[in-house]
Amino acid sequence: MSTITAAITAVGAYVPDFVLTNDILQTMVDTNDEWITARTGIKERRILKDDSKGTSYLAIMAAKDLMAKANLNPLEIDLVIVATATADMPVASTAAYVATEIGATNAFGYDLQAACSSFLFGMSTAAAYIQSGRYKKVLLIGADKMSSIVDYTDRATCIIFGDGAGAVLFEPNHEGLGLQDEYLRSDGVGRDFLKITAGGSLMPTTIDTVKDKKHNIIQDGKTVFKYAVTNMADASEQILKRNNLTNHDVDWLVPHQANKRIIDATAQRMNLEDSKVLMNIERYGNTTSATLPLVLSDFEKQFKKGDTIIFAAFGGGFTWGAIYLKWAYDKK
């Protein structure tokens, strides 16, 4: 019997209709298009304006897109993982709700939270279930409604984040394609530099925490940038060294879309030419758990069976890492 590897066999995505441009933002906070573009590479981001809809809506729409394109029967799905930092609500699993709503009633589901590394860590988790031989179809969704936790009077964060979702299907492969290796790390030193202060067990919700905006995301931009540049590049370099890969062996870099300067630094460390570095940050901003699958969706037609793809991400906590994957299909 050949060794089972876990391959991505289908991709889906969804972004809301409303486009929040830099020009609109400069009417809300003290900023401008030139300043935002130079520091982040972002021109616009999508926002889910309907307050009655949460992250689950984004995830459901991305899952439905995947199922329609792949002609996938939801009853065949064994597991639904929703990678997210903005679950619909505490305690009740967003993934369980998503699975039910898409008709995956034979699946179990749960959420995975590792900030902006959630989808990357989810890839490792989904692949492990497939490689165990126990499950045949694992649906991994990266979704975040970041607008629900952003303070739109804080120009340090409101210019960065957007809403969106992407989904991939992992299935067994017997050709040696799919996930090959991973280098995943975390360090609690980052706990205070990128966070939401209140709403958890450490600081439960009170009238004062709401008044003081302690339920919005805050970050120490300079510190986060420094750690992100170093660690995302280090992880990518490590994955190349461990697998005896050179820059010529890499077909594509799929990096977390947090900041164009971080992406550029990672690509430079890998000595990759610009044409191999995939970016859509200009149009979506940082959608947190959705950035990696949204890149896959946008560039899916360019991938060829057997292509070597390196995924890299960095998130709050701190969390970071890189994954080496062999693409498993040609887009028809």
Side-chain angles (χ1 to χ4, degrees):
M1 178 179 283
S2 60
T3 302
I4 298 173
T5 52
I8 291 174
T9 58
V11 177
Y14 175 77
V15 291
D17 293 331
F18 182 80
V19 179
L20 179 60
T21 64
N22 290 347
D23 289 339
I24 295 175
L25 274 175
Q26 72 181 27
T27 68
M28 300 163 62
V29 291
D30 182 18
T31 191
N32 58 67
D33 175 68
E34 182 181 3
W35 191 90
I36 297 171
T37 304
R39 285 160 179 77
T40 68
I42 302 169
K43 286 286 189 181
E44 56 190 43
R45 61 293 288 148
R46 299 298 184 95
I47 303 296
L48 182 58
K49 297 289 282 185
D50 189 341
D51 291 337
S52 69
K53 295 175 179 175
T55 292
S56 62
Y57 174 78
L58 302 170
I60 290 165
M61 296 299 287
K64 287 182 175 180
D65 180 54
L66 181 149
M67 292 189 298
K69 291 195 296 185
N71 194 26
L72 173 65
N73 182 348
L75 295 176
E76 296 177 356
I77 299 171
D78 299 306
L79 166 62
V80 176
I81 301 172
V82 174
T84 185
T86 56
D88 277 8
M89 57 184 73
V91 183
S93 168
T94 301
Y97 177 72
V98 170
T100 298
E101 290 299 300
I102 64 173
T105 53
N106 291 323
F108 68 103
Y110 60 85
D111 301 346
L112 191 156
Q113 206 283 79
C116 291
S117 301
S118 295
F119 188 86
L120 187 80
F121 287 14
M123 289 176 67
S124 170
T125 306
Y129 277 109
I130 294 296
Q131 290 164 352
S132 74
R134 293 182 181 179
Y135 304 98
K136 303 297 184 186
K137 296 181 189 295
V138 177
L139 181 63
L140 171 63
I141 307 169
D144 270 304
K145 185 182 178 182
M146 294 303 292
S147 61
S148 67
I149 58 173
V150 166
D151 174 5
Y152 284 94
T153 66
D154 176 13
R155 72 171 186 170
T157 55
C158 73
I159 65 170
I160 298 170
F161 297 103
D163 302 338
V168 300
L169 182 68
F170 274 93
E171 294 187 270
N173 184 276
H174 299 280
E175 301 176 272
L177 302 173
L179 197 147
Q180 306 293 309
D181 194 18
E182 60 186 44
Y183 181 86
L184 308 178
R185 293 291 184 270
S186 63
D187 188 344
V189 71
R191 182 177 168 105
D192 290 328
F193 299 117
L194 179 54
K195 64 179 180 179
I196 293 175
T197 306
S201 61
L202 189 63
M203 186 181 291
T205 304
T206 65
I207 292 174
D208 288 336
T209 63
V210 174
K211 284 181 180 178
D212 295 338
K213 296 185 176 182
K214 290 185 177 180
H215 297 269
N216 295 120
I217 190 168
I218 58 172
Q219 73 167 349
D220 179 335
K222 289 183 179 179
T223 302
V224 172
F225 180 84
K226 180 183 70 174
Y227 274 92
V229 166
T230 301
N231 290 317
M232 207 161 117
D234 282 351
S236 301
E237 188 176 44
Q238 285 294 325
I239 209 77
L240 294 186
K241 286 181 178 179
R242 286 183 9 171
N243 292 278
N244 296 313
L245 298 172
T246 70
N247 58 320
H248 301 294
D249 298 316
V250 177
D251 294 296
W252 309 103
L253 172 66
V254 176
H256 172 52
Q257 310 286 301
N259 185 301
K260 186 178 183 297
R261 291 185 294 164
I262 297 172
I263 296 171
D264 289 342
T266 301
Q268 288 168 10
R269 180 78 73 85
M270 298 171 69
N271 197 26
L272 289 183
E273 54 195 77
D274 291 345
S275 62
K276 293 184 175 183
V277 183
L278 303 183
M279 282 189 275
N280 56 15
I281 188 172
E282 180 177 328
R283 293 186 293 128
Y284 301 138
N286 182 355
T287 54
T288 304
S289 307
T291 64
L292 298 182
L294 282 176
V295 170
L296 290 183
S297 178
D298 281 358
F299 293 93
E300 183 186 15
K301 291 180 180 178
Q302 297 185 30
F303 302 152
K304 302 298 181 186
K305 185 176 180 179
D307 276 0
T308 291
I309 303 177
I310 304 299
F311 295 80
F314 180 89
F318 291 128
T319 59
W320 71 94
I323 282 177
Y324 163 30
L325 179 137
K326 286 279 189 182
W327 196 249
Y329 64 95
D330 295 318
K331 177 66 175 174
K332 296 179 182 179

